[in-house]
Amino acid sequence: MGENNNKRKLLSVDVDLTKPITKQLMQQHHVPSDVLILDALAVILRQMSLGGRRPRTIHAMEADVKAYMRVTGQEFLADISTESIYMWLDSYQNIKDITRRSRLKTLKAFLGKCNENGWLPVKFWTSINIKVDEVEKHGATKNDVEILLSLLDVTDFVELRDATAIMLMFQTGIRIATIAGLENKHLDLEGGYLNLTADIMKNHKPFKTPIPPKTVQYLAALIQVNDRIREHTGADNSYVFISRRGGSVQSSENHNAIQVRLTKYAKQYKLKNINAHGLRRGFAINLMKSGAPVSLISKALSHGDLAVTTKYLHLSKDEVAENLKNYL
């Protein structure tokens, strides 16, 4: 008995892991000047994975940092400079500026995490920017969504699934990635709500949003068909949106069956902005037209920054000020 007690004491963790690591604690340890980029990348990717970041985000960081290393030939963090970053960006001759900016953003995120981990004390990369002429993106209109829904045969499983997803995205503003991760446990059909858990949200925060009655009806019908498909195929999951074989509609990192179908419908029926992002923007614009304040729309979209919401709504700074004035 005494041996078991000693073993438990030996294996017990006497540390409060609920408290964040402070910079002061990190600075107690000597940070070597010859930190390898690959070693730093391995640590940061693991931190991101444990922090619940999406696989796509993790993969993008790994790919862009390794691309930087291939172009510049650098191996150590200490060698990274403004000049080498511009050299790397200049190597992308045949891509759009907006893509180059996206890759720069990923590299900056990596360097920022190196700073947080105590490896790069000076944030020299913050002044590096790529100017891009923003293309104004529009949201799906209620009319186009209604036309599309009228063209879908909801007696067919796939088109019922697609119609339900379209309605849900247009009426709640949730992202296509959230649609793919949605499970029966997230649905409160009796109360008419989505109860979204942190693991399927981009901002990793739980969220609750109402579902209109007609969409509740579609969801209930879809769940019944899903159960029959899973029973027939032997699929073991509780996803709301599944394939004909009972698996997830997100068959790989870059392939979502509903996204593919939306592109097909848009081309087939000559409908504009019928895509996952267009439906989400349409939701935001409809809220604005109904008189909802920008702050509420931002919350409904799960945005962490009000500036992102104003881009969705194509609002100028003056329009934001005028809208907010009525609620202060």
Side-chain angles (χ1 to χ4, degrees):
M1 192 72 175
E3 184 179 343
N4 288 336
N5 287 335
N6 289 336
K7 189 174 182 180
R8 273 197 292 270
K9 288 180 181 179
L10 175 66
L11 298 177
S12 65
V13 180
D14 188 21
V15 179
D16 185 359
L17 296 177
T18 62
K19 295 180 180 179
I21 299 174
T22 63
K23 287 187 177 181
Q24 183 178 1
L25 178 60
M26 293 177 69
Q27 288 168 356
Q28 290 175 2
H29 301 280
H30 174 68
V31 180
S33 60
D34 57 347
V35 178
L36 287 168
I37 297 174
L38 281 179
D39 287 347
L41 178 62
V43 170
I44 289 168
L45 294 181
R46 178 165 174 76
Q47 288 173 332
M48 292 173 68
S49 178
L50 292 173
R53 300 302 299 272
R54 294 184 301 169
R56 183 176 179 178
T57 304
I58 295 171
H59 175 74
M61 178 170 289
E62 182 177 18
D64 286 337
V65 172
K66 288 183 176 179
Y68 167 86
M69 292 179 65
R70 283 196 302 273
V71 171
T72 63
Q74 293 179 344
E75 297 182 9
F76 298 96
L77 281 181
D79 294 332
I80 300 177
S81 64
T82 301
E83 292 74 19
S84 65
I85 293 174
Y86 276 119
M87 180 200 305
W88 167 62
L89 291 171
D90 288 342
S91 70
Y92 294 110
Q93 295 295 324
N94 300 316
I95 64 173
K96 296 179 180 178
D97 281 345
I98 194 165
T99 305
R100 293 170 72 229
R101 187 175 69 172
S102 176
R103 292 182 177 174
L104 173 60
K105 182 179 178 181
T106 303
L107 184 65
K108 281 185 168 184
F110 167 72
L111 296 175
K113 291 182 183 298
C114 287
N115 173 262
E116 291 172 7
N117 286 337
W119 301 320
L120 292 175
V122 180
K123 297 182 179 181
F124 63 85
W125 54 88
T126 56
S127 61
I128 303 174
N129 292 295
I130 296 175
K131 187 177 180 181
V132 176
D133 293 329
E134 297 284 353
V135 177
E136 189 173 295
K137 296 179 180 178
H138 298 277
T141 65
K142 184 178 180 181
N143 185 59
D144 280 350
V145 170
E146 288 178 347
I147 289 172
L148 176 55
L149 292 174
S150 73
L151 293 166
L152 297 182
D153 178 7
V154 294
T155 63
D156 172 81
F157 162 69
V158 171
E159 296 198 11
L160 169 64
R161 178 200 69 190
D162 296 345
T164 307
I166 290 164
M167 293 169 70
L168 203 56
M169 285 189 282
F170 190 64
Q171 293 165 347
T172 68
I174 62 174
R175 296 177 171 88
I176 191 74
T178 304
I179 283 283
L182 203 64
E183 297 181 55
N184 292 341
K185 68 180 181 180
H186 298 121
L187 302 179
D188 174 10
L189 297 186
E190 186 176 341
Y193 287 97
L194 283 181
N195 290 304
L196 304 173
T197 49
D199 57 306
I200 63 169
M201 296 294 289
K202 184 178 180 181
N203 64 357
H204 309 295
K205 294 179 181 179
F207 189 68
K208 182 177 181 178
T209 189
I211 317 169
K214 187 176 180 180
T215 307
V216 169
Q217 184 182 358
Y218 271 58
L219 283 165
L222 181 63
I223 288 170
Q224 288 184 6
V225 184
N226 287 347
D227 290 342
R228 292 203 302 270
I229 290 174
R230 278 191 283 258
E231 184 178 357
H232 177 73
T233 61
D236 183 19
N237 64 64
S238 60
Y239 290 126
V240 176
F241 296 98
I242 61 174
S243 68
R244 289 187 182 93
R245 297 181 179 180
S248 170
V249 292
Q250 191 77 42
S251 58
S252 69
E253 184 182 329
N254 297 314
H255 186 275
N256 182 296
I258 294 174
Q259 183 76 283
V260 172
R261 299 280 296 185
L262 288 175
T263 301
K264 175 192 169 185
Y265 295 140
K267 291 180 179 177
Q268 183 177 356
Y269 301 122
K270 305 294 188 292
L271 297 170
K272 295 181 179 179
N273 306 307
I274 295 298
N275 55 67
H277 215 69
L279 292 168
R280 183 168 158 80
R281 282 179 181 272
F283 164 74
I285 291 167
N286 286 339
L287 281 181
M288 182 179 68
K289 289 179 177 178
S290 298
V294 177
S295 54
L296 177 61
I297 298 172
S298 187
K299 286 286 186 183
L301 292 169
S302 300
H303 283 162
D305 187 346
L306 206 61
V308 178
T309 309
T310 62
K311 286 185 179 180
Y312 266 63
L313 302 173
H314 312 306
L315 290 173
S316 67
K317 288 187 290 185
D318 290 338
E319 287 173 313
V320 173
E322 285 303 312
N323 274 280
L324 292 175
K325 187 189 295 181
N326 298 322
Y327 299 94
L328 296 177

